Amino acid sequence: MTGGTPLGNGPRRRLILLGIGVGAVGALSGCGVHLQEDAPDIPVIPRRTRMPGEAALLDLLAGTQALVTATKSAGTELTAVLTPLHVTQVGVLRDALRRGRVPSSVIAPADRTPSPVPGATPNSVGLAAAEASVLGDRTPYAAFDAALAAPVMALLAQRAAATTLLGGHPPAPNPPAPNPPSPAATTPSHAGIATGEPTPGAPAPSSSAASPAPSPSATPRTADDPGLSGLLVSAREAVQFLQVVQARAPKDDTATGLRARALDTQTWLSALTQGWEQALGDEAPPASATIALPFAVDSPEAGARLAAEALTRVRAAYGRRIATLSVSAARKGWGTFPDELADIEVHAHAWGVALQAFPGLS
C-alpha cells in the first residue's frame, strides 16, 4: 500500500507548536543563578530541573534523526515521502525541547544527524523495524502533559502507519504507566535507535483495588475526552459517504473495484464507529439521517475522491480529539489512540490521501 498522491506541504509547525507550550522551569533563573546539568548538590549551584518526559523526547529526536538518514538512503518512492515527514518531526521535537528549557548541550547529542553507512542501502524490513522501534514500550510517554501528548501521539501514529506501509507489523504496546516517572530518575537511552529493534517492554502495571472506580454518571466521558463526540459525528458522516460511493459506482465495476473497496473501508470504519458510540453511551450525539455531499459524485474518479475526503475528515477529527484530551485521558490513551489514528492514516493513504508527519494535527 504505497500508492497515494505526492506529498503536499508538510504540517505547519506553528500550528503544532501551539500545543507544545511547556511551562518555564528553574525558578532561580530569574535571580541570575545559572543551573548546571551535572552540578553538585550544593546550595550555590543547584541541579537543573528536567522537563517532564525529557528523556523520552530526546530518544524520539535521536531516533527521528536516524530515520531521516535511513529513509533518504533507501531511495524508494515511499521513503522519498517519509523523509520530509521525519525532517518536519525533527524540527518540532527540537523546538519542544528548547521550549522546555533543555540546554543545547543536552539536545545536541540527540540532534546529531547520523552518517549513512558506506555502501549500505536500508531495506524495507530494517526500515519498518526502525519506524516501529518507539511503539512497543510507551510507559515513558505518561510523563508528558496533555499539550505535549497530542503531537507525540500523532508522531507515534505516523510511525505505526509507516511500519504497516513498509510491510511490517507494529508491536503490541505496553499499557501506559499509572503515574509518570520522575524526570530525574530516567536517563536518555538510544540503544534501540541505531539497530531499529523495538525497545524491550516493561511489565504492565498492576491494578489497585484501594480506590473504587467512579461511576459513569459521576465522571462524564465528554469531560475527559471532549473531542470524541465530534469524532463520532465525522465517522458517521464518512460511513454515509462511503455508502454513496458504493451506490454510484459503475454497474460493471471490475475495472476499478470501487464498490468493493468502498465496502471494505466502510466495514472497517463502521466497527470503529460502534466502539466510539459504546464509549460515549448516553452522551453520544444523535445520528443524522441526511448528509450534504461536498461535490457531485458522477464518476468513479469522483467516488474515489469522496472516499478520500471522508477519511481526511475523520483523520482531522481524530487530531482534534487528541488535542483536547485531559491529562488523565491522555495517560490512559497511549495504548490505543496512536494505533487508531495510524489505522485511519493507512486507510486514507490507500485512497490517495498524502501522509502527514503528525496525522490530524496539520
Side-chain angles (χ1 to χ4, degrees):
M1 293 172 59
T2 59
T5 58
L7 179 69
N9 291 330
R12 295 181 294 277
R13 186 187 303 176
R14 182 176 300 173
L15 292 180
I16 297 172
L17 289 177
L18 290 176
I20 309 185
V22 182
V25 297
L28 295 177
S29 60
C31 302
V33 178
H34 179 64
L35 303 183
Q36 291 186 204
E37 176 69 15
D38 299 314
D41 292 327
I42 58 177
V44 178
I45 308 177
R47 283 185 180 273
R48 176 180 68 87
T49 300
R50 297 184 182 181
M51 70 174 289
E54 178 179 316
L57 211 56
L58 287 167
D59 274 339
L60 286 174
L61 177 59
T64 307
Q65 284 284 27
L67 281 169
V68 170
T69 299
T71 53
K72 189 180 298 183
S73 301
T76 67
E77 182 180 353
L78 176 58
T79 57
V81 173
L82 294 176
T83 300
L85 303 188
H86 294 317
V87 170
T88 298
Q89 291 168 348
V90 164
V92 171
L93 293 171
R94 182 193 299 127
D95 288 345
L97 287 162
R98 289 173 176 170
R99 286 170 177 261
R101 304 276 183 96
V102 179
S104 298
S105 60
V106 177
I107 300 174
D111 200 21
R112 186 175 296 114
T113 304
S115 300
V117 178
T121 301
N123 57 31
S124 295
V125 175
L127 287 173
E131 295 277 0
S133 63
V134 297
L135 300 174
D137 181 15
R138 301 183 189 177
T139 54
Y141 307 137
F144 295 139
D145 61 20
L148 188 54
V152 175
M153 282 185 178
L155 183 149
L156 295 185
Q158 180 277 316
R159 298 290 176 83
T163 300
T164 300
L165 294 173
L166 287 164
H169 301 282
N174 278 358
N179 296 304
S182 170
T186 58
T187 56
S189 173
H190 308 299
I193 293 173
T195 62
E197 292 297 323
T199 305
S206 58
S207 59
S208 172
S211 301
S215 64
S217 59
T219 308
R221 180 60 180 262
T222 52
D224 282 343
D225 193 355
L228 182 55
S229 294
L231 172 61
L232 178 58
V233 171
S234 292
R236 285 170 171 168
E237 178 187 69
V239 168
Q240 291 178 299
F241 281 1
L242 291 164
Q243 290 171 339
V244 170
V245 174
Q246 296 169 61
R248 301 188 184 180
K251 293 182 179 179
D252 182 11
D253 196 29
T254 55
T256 64
L258 185 63
R259 183 179 291 108
R261 291 175 59 205
L263 176 59
D264 288 344
T265 305
Q266 179 202 326
T267 301
W268 155 78
L269 186 55
S270 294
L272 276 181
T273 303
Q274 290 172 6
W276 297 329
E277 288 175 340
Q278 293 172 1
L280 282 168
D282 293 340
E283 299 177 65
S288 175
T290 60
I291 57 169
L293 296 179
F295 48 81
V297 181
D298 51 9
S299 68
E301 292 76 17
R305 189 154 59 97
L306 181 61
E309 174 69 18
L311 294 178
T312 299
R313 292 186 182 189
V314 174
R315 181 177 65 180
Y318 211 104
R320 290 190 293 271
R321 177 198 189 182
I322 62 174
T324 55
L325 293 171
S326 69
V327 174
S328 60
R331 195 165 296 154
K332 295 173 184 176
W334 284 107
T336 55
F337 296 163
D339 305 278
E340 286 185 344
L341 183 53
D343 211 13
I344 294 168
E345 181 79 333
V346 170
H347 279 82
H349 187 59
W351 285 99
V353 178
L355 299 174
Q356 293 185 329
F358 297 89
L361 295 184
S362 61

